[in-house]
Amino acid sequence: FDKNKGSVGRLASAGSDGVVILWDVVAETGLFRLLGHRGPVTGISFICPTGSSASGMDGLVTSGADGLVKVWDLNGQCCVQTLTGHRGSVGCLDCSILCPPG
């Protein structure tokens, strides 16, 4: 679940097909799919919504068995950065972009 203020009702899921889906939990519908991993997605973390993070982006970060870490812009529904430093599967991730309290 997206725990950022003002983002109630969003959920991101992913699986062995490498596809990330952003969901509207209230309406029980998939909003869109993010394609880019070449194998199972192993981790997902939301970034603060626009205006409340240092990046100013409403985003998501994912990791995968393909060794990639991807940064996604949820407004543009696209990958904005791919980190390729791992030689094997990336088992998990955590983001240090902090939202302001409240």
Side-chain angles (χ1 to χ4, degrees):
F1 277 104
D2 185 352
K3 297 177 184 174
N4 295 316
K5 183 178 179 181
S7 298
V8 177
R10 289 195 315 183
L11 172 77
S13 67
S16 60
D17 60 359
V19 177
V20 177
I21 303 174
L22 191 72
W23 299 89
D24 178 332
V25 178
V26 176
E28 298 180 2
T29 59
L31 299 173
F32 53 86
R33 295 171 181 260
L34 301 171
L35 308 173
H37 282 284
R38 298 182 303 252
V41 176
T42 57
I44 300 176
S45 183
F46 281 95
I47 301 173
C48 291
T50 303
S52 61
S53 73
S55 69
M57 181 179 68
D58 183 16
L60 195 68
V61 179
T62 59
S63 60
D66 55 6
L68 302 177
V69 174
K70 293 186 162 283
V71 181
W72 303 89
D73 176 353
L74 296 180
N75 293 324
Q77 301 178 19
C78 62
C79 179
V80 294
Q81 187 171 12
T82 300
L83 306 172
T84 60
H86 292 279
R87 293 184 179 157
S89 178
V90 181
C92 63
L93 61 86
D94 193 10
C95 293
S96 65
I97 299 173
L98 301 176
C99 296

